[in-house]
PDB file of all heavy atoms in Angstrom:
ATOM      1  N   PRO B  14     -25.393   3.532  -7.546  1.00  0.00           N
ATOM      2  CA  PRO B  14     -26.486   3.252  -6.605  1.00  0.00           C
ATOM      3  C   PRO B  14     -26.298   1.880  -5.966  1.00  0.00           C
ATOM      4  O   PRO B  14     -25.670   0.973  -6.526  1.00  0.00           O
ATOM      5  CB  PRO B  14     -27.728   3.287  -7.502  1.00  0.00           C
ATOM      6  CG  PRO B  14     -27.233   2.925  -8.861  1.00  0.00           C
ATOM      7  CD  PRO B  14     -25.827   3.442  -8.951  1.00  0.00           C
ATOM      8  N   GLU B  15     -26.849   1.739  -4.803  1.00  0.00           N
ATOM      9  CA  GLU B  15     -26.822   0.457  -4.103  1.00  0.00           C
ATOM     10  C   GLU B  15     -27.388  -0.643  -4.992  1.00  0.00           C
ATOM     11  O   GLU B  15     -28.416  -0.461  -5.651  1.00  0.00           O
ATOM     12  CB  GLU B  15     -27.633   0.561  -2.815  1.00  0.00           C
ATOM     13  CG  GLU B  15     -27.602  -0.674  -1.946  1.00  0.00           C
ATOM     14  CD  GLU B  15     -28.316  -0.450  -0.618  1.00  0.00           C
ATOM     15  OE1 GLU B  15     -28.783   0.691  -0.374  1.00  0.00           O
ATOM     16  OE2 GLU B  15     -28.411  -1.406   0.174  1.00  0.00           O
ATOM     17  N   GLY B  16     -26.681  -1.778  -5.038  1.00  0.00           N
ATOM     18  CA  GLY B  16     -27.117  -2.905  -5.847  1.00  0.00           C
ATOM     19  C   GLY B  16     -26.523  -2.947  -7.242  1.00  0.00           C
ATOM     20  O   GLY B  16     -26.588  -3.978  -7.921  1.00  0.00           O
ATOM     21  N   ALA B  17     -25.906  -1.865  -7.671  1.00  0.00           N
ATOM     22  CA  ALA B  17     -25.317  -1.802  -9.011  1.00  0.00           C
ATOM     23  C   ALA B  17     -23.919  -2.422  -9.009  1.00  0.00           C
ATOM     24  O   ALA B  17     -23.361  -2.773  -7.965  1.00  0.00           O
ATOM     25  CB  ALA B  17     -25.248  -0.355  -9.478  1.00  0.00           C
ATOM     26  N   ILE B  18     -23.353  -2.551 -10.214  1.00  0.00           N
ATOM     27  CA  ILE B  18     -21.972  -3.019 -10.357  1.00  0.00           C
ATOM     28  C   ILE B  18     -21.057  -1.805 -10.442  1.00  0.00           C
ATOM     29  O   ILE B  18     -21.272  -0.907 -11.247  1.00  0.00           O
ATOM     30  CB  ILE B  18     -21.804  -3.870 -11.628  1.00  0.00           C
ATOM     31  CG1 ILE B  18     -22.639  -5.152 -11.541  1.00  0.00           C
ATOM     32  CG2 ILE B  18     -20.328  -4.221 -11.853  1.00  0.00           C
ATOM     33  CD1 ILE B  18     -22.630  -5.996 -12.808  1.00  0.00           C
ATOM     34  N   ALA B  19     -20.037  -1.797  -9.604  1.00  0.00           N
ATOM     35  CA  ALA B  19     -19.016  -0.746  -9.670  1.00  0.00           C
ATOM     36  C   ALA B  19     -17.816  -1.301 -10.425  1.00  0.00           C
ATOM     37  O   ALA B  19     -17.361  -2.418 -10.144  1.00  0.00           O
ATOM     38  CB  ALA B  19     -18.606  -0.311  -8.270  1.00  0.00           C
ATOM     39  N   SER B  20     -17.300  -0.532 -11.368  1.00  0.00           N
ATOM     40  CA  SER B  20     -16.163  -0.959 -12.177  1.00  0.00           C
ATOM     41  C   SER B  20     -15.007   0.012 -11.980  1.00  0.00           C
ATOM     42  O   SER B  20     -15.127   1.203 -12.262  1.00  0.00           O
ATOM     43  CB  SER B  20     -16.568  -1.009 -13.654  1.00  0.00           C
ATOM     44  OG  SER B  20     -15.463  -1.355 -14.460  1.00  0.00           O
ATOM     45  N   LEU B  21     -13.909  -0.508 -11.472  1.00  0.00           N
ATOM     46  CA  LEU B  21     -12.732   0.309 -11.166  1.00  0.00           C
ATOM     47  C   LEU B  21     -11.593  -0.144 -12.071  1.00  0.00           C
ATOM     48  O   LEU B  21     -11.353  -1.343 -12.229  1.00  0.00           O
ATOM     49  CB  LEU B  21     -12.350   0.129  -9.697  1.00  0.00           C
ATOM     50  CG  LEU B  21     -13.471   0.441  -8.708  1.00  0.00           C
ATOM     51  CD1 LEU B  21     -13.193  -0.191  -7.369  1.00  0.00           C
ATOM     52  CD2 LEU B  21     -13.632   1.930  -8.565  1.00  0.00           C
ATOM     53  N   ASN B  22     -10.900   0.817 -12.650  1.00  0.00           N
ATOM     54  CA  ASN B  22      -9.887   0.496 -13.650  1.00  0.00           C
ATOM     55  C   ASN B  22      -8.504   1.002 -13.267  1.00  0.00           C
ATOM     56  O   ASN B  22      -8.373   1.990 -12.539  1.00  0.00           O
ATOM     57  CB  ASN B  22     -10.287   1.117 -14.987  1.00  0.00           C
ATOM     58  CG  ASN B  22     -11.666   0.667 -15.419  1.00  0.00           C
ATOM     59  OD1 ASN B  22     -11.982  -0.511 -15.351  1.00  0.00           O
ATOM     60  ND2 ASN B  22     -12.494   1.599 -15.851  1.00  0.00           N
ATOM     61  N   CYS B  23      -7.507   0.340 -13.825  1.00  0.00           N
ATOM     62  CA  CYS B  23      -6.117   0.662 -13.491  1.00  0.00           C
ATOM     63  C   CYS B  23      -5.242   0.284 -14.688  1.00  0.00           C
ATOM     64  O   CYS B  23      -5.420  -0.792 -15.270  1.00  0.00           O
ATOM     65  CB  CYS B  23      -5.718  -0.128 -12.250  1.00  0.00           C
ATOM     66  SG  CYS B  23      -3.978  -0.055 -11.781  1.00  0.00           S
ATOM     67  N   THR B  24      -4.331   1.164 -15.055  1.00  0.00           N
ATOM     68  CA  THR B  24      -3.347   0.825 -16.079  1.00  0.00           C
ATOM     69  C   THR B  24      -1.955   0.991 -15.485  1.00  0.00           C
ATOM     70  O   THR B  24      -1.748   1.748 -14.533  1.00  0.00           O
ATOM     71  CB  THR B  24      -3.478   1.730 -17.322  1.00  0.00           C
ATOM     72  OG1 THR B  24      -3.308   3.098 -16.924  1.00  0.00           O
ATOM     73  CG2 THR B  24      -4.816   1.563 -17.986  1.00  0.00           C
ATOM     74  N   TYR B  25      -1.010   0.232 -16.037  1.00  0.00           N
ATOM     75  CA  TYR B  25       0.347   0.283 -15.521  1.00  0.00           C
ATOM     76  C   TYR B  25       1.326   0.359 -16.677  1.00  0.00           C
ATOM     77  O   TYR B  25       1.032  -0.071 -17.798  1.00  0.00           O
ATOM     78  CB  TYR B  25       0.642  -0.931 -14.632  1.00  0.00           C
ATOM     79  CG  TYR B  25       0.446  -2.264 -15.304  1.00  0.00           C
ATOM     80  CD1 TYR B  25       1.510  -2.944 -15.881  1.00  0.00           C
ATOM     81  CD2 TYR B  25      -0.811  -2.855 -15.354  1.00  0.00           C
ATOM     82  CE1 TYR B  25       1.336  -4.162 -16.501  1.00  0.00           C
ATOM     83  CE2 TYR B  25      -1.001  -4.082 -15.976  1.00  0.00           C
ATOM     84  CZ  TYR B  25       0.067  -4.725 -16.541  1.00  0.00           C
ATOM     85  OH  TYR B  25      -0.112  -5.934 -17.170  1.00  0.00           O
TER      86      TYR B  25
END
Side-chain angles (χ1 to χ4, degrees):
Chain B
E15 184 174 357
I18 296 175
S20 177
L21 304 161
N22 304 314
C23 172
T24 59
Y25 57 96

